[in-house]
Amino acid sequence: LQGLGASELLLRARREQALAISMAGRWDEALAIYSDVAAQAGALGLARLEARALFHISDIRKAKGQTADAAAGLREAVTR
């Protein structure tokens, strides 16, 4: 864990928090957290973490019936 920066650890923890929130059905709240995690991870150059957050965003959008947005999100995640 010492090899990881504090920022990365915090972002990973927030991603896990968003997962728990989404599993509770609070999708809008989870989307906000995942979006923030993706943006911050992208700014820090943490492409893998950014892509995982984007995949989760796509999953939620798909579950909400927003298939076009989900597909666009998956394409963005794959490019990361």
Side-chain angles (χ1 to χ4, degrees):
L1 290 177
Q2 290 179 351
L4 298 174
S7 296
E8 185 175 358
L9 287 175
L10 178 60
L11 289 175
R12 286 178 185 228
R14 291 190 64 224
R15 188 189 73 215
E16 292 300 317
Q17 176 191 28
L19 178 60
I21 289 169
S22 70
M23 292 174 75
R26 297 171 16 216
W27 291 342
D28 291 333
E29 187 178 350
L31 281 172
I33 295 170
Y34 280 132
S35 296
D36 188 53
V37 168
Q40 288 187 33
L44 292 171
L46 303 170
R48 183 176 286 173
L49 185 57
E50 179 185 14
R52 286 183 180 157
L54 292 172
F55 277 118
H56 286 294
I57 289 169
S58 293
D59 285 343
I60 292 171
R61 288 184 174 152
K62 183 175 68 174
K64 290 178 76 172
Q66 301 169 346
T67 54
D69 290 339
L74 286 174
R75 283 191 296 274
E76 183 180 354
V78 169
T79 62
R80 301 287 184 238

